[in-house]
Amino acid sequence: MHIWPGAAYPLGATWDGWGTNFALFSEAADRVELCLFDEAGAESRIELTEVDGFVWHGYLPAIGPGQRYGYRVHGPYDPRRGRRCAPSKLLLDPYGKAFEGDVSWNEALFDYQWAEPRKRNTVNSAPFMPKSVVINPFFDWGNDRPPRIPYHETVIYEAHVRGLTLRHPEIPLHQRGTYAGLAHPAVIEHLKRIGVTAVELLPVHQFVAEQAMVGRGLTNYWGYNTIGFLAPHNHYSSAGQRGEQVGEFKTMVKALHTAGIEVIMDVVYNHTAEGDGRGPTLCFRGIDNHAYYRLDDGNPWRYVDYTGCGNSLNVRHPHSLQLIMDSLRYWTLEMHVDGFRFDLASALARELHDVDRLSTFFDLVQQDPVVSQVKLIAEPWDVGEGGYQVGNFPPLWTEWNGKYRDTVRDFWRGQPAAPEFASRLTGSSDLYETSGRRPVASINFVTCHDGFTLADLVSYDGKHNEGNGEDNRDGTDDNRSWNCGVEGPAEDPEIIALRSRQQRNFLVTLFLSQGVPMLTAGDEIGRTQAGNNNAYCQDNEISWVDWSRAAGERDLLAFTQKLARLRRHHPVFRRRRFFRGAYAGSGDGTADLAWLTPSGEEMTDSDWHASYAKSVAVFLNGSAITEPDPRGDRVTDRKFLLLFNAGAEPITFTIPEARLGTDWEIVIDTETPRGDPQDAIGFLPKTKVEVDRHAIVVLRSRS
């Protein structure tokens, strides 16, 4: 086949309507072969002889969308020195935008022999490898525009494409578990009913299920094992794997945008699916091991591992950084996504050893005119020393606030956590204010994919991960949960009622906290994983959302809808700036925020650490909001009193009307799911309010 010189940029396979340009970076290569596969799977090899700046390239006329391909890289092979070029191994394109097929685990995928690891394995791996696919980049976006929801108006819904849609009765069978299923009107209508403004999707980059996991009859369900940073995962496509997954993903984004819902991707740039030195050669390792991976300087056969997954991407190398930034720009510009949540983001900040707040990666993001303008959410920790970095990311970033999760859980299980609970409820100014950040820097969550569901959080004291095949050793033991008296399913009506109340307590706390609330898919209908707090490998009923529960949990679903509506209609719960805790120009002489004891007195230092600190009240003054609206006008709202009782006995709260005002109405009482926050549950003719054990009462001024 006749090949033209082509161009060194852009990297990857680029179809222009007449032919395809192929470009691959490798500083380690002596020779690079492009491998094309026909419909029967027969392979033809074409040598790329043009090299510019270590980019090997060529242009093939008449090669277009649907063409399957890969690479073979010839070069030095000396694993002890970190050199892993192995031309017998078919390699995926790091810039591949679609993949067909799966990794079929076989010894041929490894560059060493299992029986004698020091001996080289030269068996051809192509029959056991997925193939990169040339795609058609053209798509009719019509009038699609990013919703650009401000952070303070954002409500995030963390979901798994497959798990959310696989059992939904209104989605056609062939679309369940796919991007098309997520775009179905029934799913979108549900999201809109509960006030969701952004879906945060668990990894949809092309990923691989680990060999050991497959050997146990399980799979990598969550997808935190990326092999393709520009390709949507092929098994979430209902239309096909020869590039159709790209169009289906774009159609999903377009449908969600039409509904005013943003798409945020959970991305894994900290490691790849090739694992440690004993892992398979699928892509990066065989192309340029030194460029793509952090290797131990003294022992280059050893991979530095800040992720617990065997390797760490080498963010010190310009081409690795380029890959990450090109990927982010591609998903933003070509796929129209609205933001990214960075898994183990601390690993990306490591220049040498310590987490560097101003590392090269963050510098690149800060100055990038595309990436800097979308939502950037850090998981602010990794498994390395000094990796827990909540509160330490640059001002452009928001963070999953793990301290919020832990504190709120502690408070509602009766632990002494009132002082920190107050900070988490009001936006975690102790973490973010000194660095010039605002309450929206805190992504607040009580549950997420990793850990108990909301229903399990109030039903289990310990994890029950036996189904994972690791003798219940996996998953955290630090659940900070409370089973309300019985481990697992209960028949006692009092325990069932207490668990329901606790779920409502968590939801009220989440939706009425300053910052950005994140709800985990299915929590609004009582989804359970039967106590499994690490369902990463469970592609079954343990992880899938059971939509039949919606009928039995109508009260919980309706309560979630009401909370979302209350937050949306009252700006005092979604301030853009921190409370001052003092007179703030309200016009009535009252502070914007006050913390009160049950007797109605302002909390003192000693009160915060007293036994009754499990029961506190907070006054939010809607007439003392300091930030203006988008047009520069003053923002005003009602006054609210939130009465929290995390104790085991009912508490009577006194309302100091002389200081805070009169004419209050009850809008939420978690003792009962009844009531609509748009309408008062009842007027309050007296200054005493009894709050049941483990309950919240929310009062609103009538004027």
Side-chain angles (χ1 to χ4, degrees):
M1 184 179 293
H2 184 62
I3 186 170
W4 298 1
Y9 187 86
L11 291 165
T14 306
W15 182 63
D16 60 10
W18 195 81
T20 301
N21 190 81
F22 295 89
L24 177 76
F25 160 77
S26 176
E27 190 173 352
D30 296 329
R31 188 160 65 93
V32 172
E33 292 177 305
L34 170 66
C35 307
L36 303 180
F37 294 85
D38 65 17
E39 294 302 321
E43 176 183 351
S44 58
R45 303 182 186 182
I46 302 165
E47 186 168 351
L48 300 180
T49 58
E50 295 289 331
V51 191
D52 292 290
F54 303 113
V55 175
W56 304 72
H57 56 89
Y59 181 94
L60 291 177
I63 294 295
Q67 174 65 56
R68 295 175 296 170
Y69 71 98
Y71 292 102
R72 296 184 187 274
V73 174
H74 300 255
Y77 181 81
D78 186 354
R80 292 193 62 81
R81 297 186 180 183
R83 298 170 179 173
R84 305 289 290 264
C85 292
S88 64
K89 311 308 169 191
L90 183 74
L91 304 174
L92 297 172
D93 184 353
Y95 278 76
K97 297 178 178 66
F99 297 98
E100 182 189 46
D102 293 309
V103 169
S104 179
W105 288 106
N106 184 278
E107 187 175 356
L109 297 170
F110 298 78
D111 63 5
Y112 62 91
Q113 298 179 24
W114 288 353
E116 297 185 68
R118 294 191 177 185
K119 288 190 176 181
R120 190 170 182 176
N121 181 347
T122 59
V123 177
N124 179 20
S125 68
F128 310 100
M129 281 288 292
K131 309 299 186 292
S132 304
V133 178
V134 177
I135 70 159
N136 181 351
F138 305 109
F139 180 79
D140 182 8
W141 282 103
N143 294 321
D144 182 71
R145 295 290 184 273
R148 295 197 182 279
I149 309 295
Y151 266 122
H152 69 286
E153 296 178 4
T154 296
V155 176
I156 296 174
Y157 189 80
E158 190 199 27
H160 189 284
V161 170
R162 179 170 168 82
L164 180 65
T165 63
L166 195 64
R167 302 181 71 182
H168 199 295
E170 297 183 45
I171 299 175
L173 285 173
H174 74 282
Q175 292 185 345
R176 295 182 186 180
T178 69
Y179 306 120
L182 187 56
H184 192 275
V187 174
I188 290 177
E189 181 57 31
H190 176 79
L191 297 175
K192 289 177 68 67
R193 279 202 306 268
I194 58 174
V196 171
T197 69
V199 289
E200 182 176 301
L201 302 178
L202 267 70
V204 294
H205 283 166
Q206 188 71 36
F207 62 85
V208 174
E210 295 89 332
Q211 182 183 22
M213 207 176 297
V214 173
R216 299 201 306 267
L218 301 169
T219 190
N220 190 318
Y221 171 72
W222 286 349
Y224 290 93
N225 205 40
T226 305
I227 198 62
F229 294 116
L230 284 84
H233 189 62
N234 53 6
H235 286 290
Y236 297 158
S237 171
S238 65
Q241 299 185 22
R242 297 285 283 272
E244 296 90 349
Q245 58 264 52
V246 177
E248 186 170 326
F249 185 93
K250 291 178 178 179
T251 300
M252 175 197 73
V253 172
K254 185 177 178 180
L256 288 164
H257 281 183
T258 300
I261 298 173
E262 296 181 313
V263 177
I264 298 171
M265 292 173 51
D266 194 335
V267 290
V268 188
Y269 294 115
N270 53 75
H271 75 282
T272 80
E274 291 185 302
D276 61 18
R278 298 165 295 179
T281 298
L282 308 175
C283 181
F284 309 95
R285 172 176 290 133
I287 293 171
D288 197 320
N289 194 43
H290 278 272
Y292 284 116
Y293 293 117
R294 290 286 296 269
L295 305 179
D296 188 313
D297 293 333
N299 301 286
W301 56 268
R302 178 177 174 270
Y303 289 77
V304 176
D305 182 11
Y306 292 122
T307 68
C309 300
N311 63 59
S312 301
L313 206 67
N314 186 9
V315 291
R316 299 181 298 180
H317 194 281
H319 280 277
S320 289
L321 281 171
Q322 180 186 1
L323 173 61
I324 295 174
M325 296 305 297
D326 285 348
S327 170
L328 292 170
R329 281 188 290 267
Y330 174 78
W331 287 98
T332 303
L333 295 174
E334 299 296 326
M335 307 295 268
H336 284 207
V337 303
D338 305 282
F340 305 93
R341 179 265 189 189
F342 292 79
D343 177 64
L344 300 181
S346 292
L348 297 174
R350 291 183 182 271
E351 288 281 349
L352 296 173
H353 173 73
D354 295 331
V355 175
D356 183 351
R357 185 172 175 270
L358 298 177
S359 71
T360 303
F361 171 68
F362 294 122
D363 290 344
L364 287 174
V365 170
Q366 180 74 39
Q367 59 80 42
D368 191 277
V370 174
V371 180
S372 64
Q373 298 307 302
V374 300
K375 287 183 168 67
L376 302 172
I377 304 171
E379 182 185 36
W381 50 79
D382 65 20
V383 301
E385 182 181 350
Y388 192 79
Q389 293 290 317
V390 173
N392 291 332
F393 276 69
L396 187 66
W397 291 69
T398 62
E399 301 175 10
W400 268 27
N401 191 344
K403 292 186 178 181
Y404 179 96
R405 172 200 58 205
D406 295 346
T407 300
V408 170
R409 288 187 179 193
D410 280 346
F411 182 79
W412 284 115
R413 67 188 178 120
Q415 296 298 308
E420 193 168 358
F421 177 77
S423 179
R424 304 298 156 246
L425 189 78
T426 54
S428 297
S429 60
D430 58 324
L431 299 177
Y432 304 115
E433 189 172 24
T434 57
S435 59
R437 301 160 82 185
R438 293 187 171 177
V440 294
S442 178
I443 305 297
N444 299 328
F445 66 103
V446 175
T447 64
C448 64
H449 68 276
D450 188 1
F452 281 148
T453 67
L454 185 60
D456 289 355
L457 185 64
V458 300
S459 304
Y460 295 90
D461 279 354
K463 64 188 181 184
H464 297 268
N465 299 351
E466 291 79 7
N468 294 354
E470 301 179 45
D471 298 323
N472 207 37
R473 294 189 302 268
D474 63 300
T476 183
D477 293 313
D478 185 23
N479 294 296
R480 304 181 187 227
S481 58
W482 177 40
N483 65 18
C484 297
V486 172
E487 187 75 356
E491 297 181 359
D492 187 330
E494 289 192 12
I495 291 178
I496 294 172
L498 176 57
R499 288 177 175 177
S500 296
R501 188 158 67 248
Q502 283 286 78
Q503 290 181 72
R504 293 193 290 272
N505 290 337
F506 281 119
L507 289 171
V508 171
T509 305
L510 178 65
F511 274 90
L512 302 190
S513 293
Q514 305 298 319
V516 180
M518 185 182 80
L519 186 67
T520 304
D523 277 354
E524 73 278 16
I525 57 173
R527 185 174 78 88
T528 177
Q529 293 181 168
N532 191 319
N533 74 352
N534 190 35
Y536 73 103
C537 56
Q538 299 291 339
D539 187 6
N540 51 44
E541 290 84 355
I542 290 176
S543 297
W544 305 334
V545 174
D546 181 2
W547 288 95
S548 67
R549 294 185 66 92
E553 296 288 350
R554 285 194 183 95
D555 286 343
L556 184 61
L557 178 58
F559 191 77
T560 306
Q561 293 175 238
K562 297 166 187 175
L563 285 172
R565 194 158 55 240
L566 182 68
R567 180 182 178 88
R568 183 169 63 250
H569 290 166
H570 288 285
V572 75
F573 297 119
R574 43 183 177 81
R575 291 175 52 128
R576 292 189 293 109
R577 298 175 185 167
F578 288 108
F579 290 101
R580 297 181 183 179
Y583 170 69
S586 63
D588 58 7
T590 54
D592 61 353
L593 171 78
W595 287 93
L596 310 172
T597 66
S599 64
E601 301 297 326
E602 290 207 32
M603 297 278 285
T604 64
D605 289 343
S606 60
D607 289 330
W608 282 112
H609 300 284
S611 60
Y612 52 76
K614 295 178 183 178
S615 305
V616 297
V618 59
F619 168 70
L620 307 179
N621 190 352
S623 62
I625 298 174
T626 57
E627 58 267 27
D629 69 12
R631 296 187 176 184
D633 295 327
R634 185 184 175 198
V635 176
T636 60
D637 197 4
R638 305 275 195 94
K639 298 175 181 177
F640 282 83
L641 263 173
L642 281 59
L643 314 179
F644 297 95
N645 180 18
E649 300 294 334
I651 290 286
T652 299
F653 284 81
T654 299
I655 301 174
E657 290 188 324
R659 287 186 290 120
L660 304 184
T662 59
D663 209 11
W664 296 90
E665 57 190 4
I666 299 174
V667 291
I668 294 175
D669 185 347
T670 61
E671 191 275 330
T672 172
R674 295 191 307 274
D676 187 337
Q678 285 301 102
D679 303 305
I681 295 175
F683 299 122
L684 191 66
K686 53 189 178 182
T687 61
K688 303 287 186 181
V689 182
E690 183 170 287
V691 180
D692 201 0
R693 65 191 185 100
H694 312 297
I696 303 172
V697 171
V698 177
L699 308 177
R700 179 177 61 193
S701 64
R702 293 173 60 192
S703 57

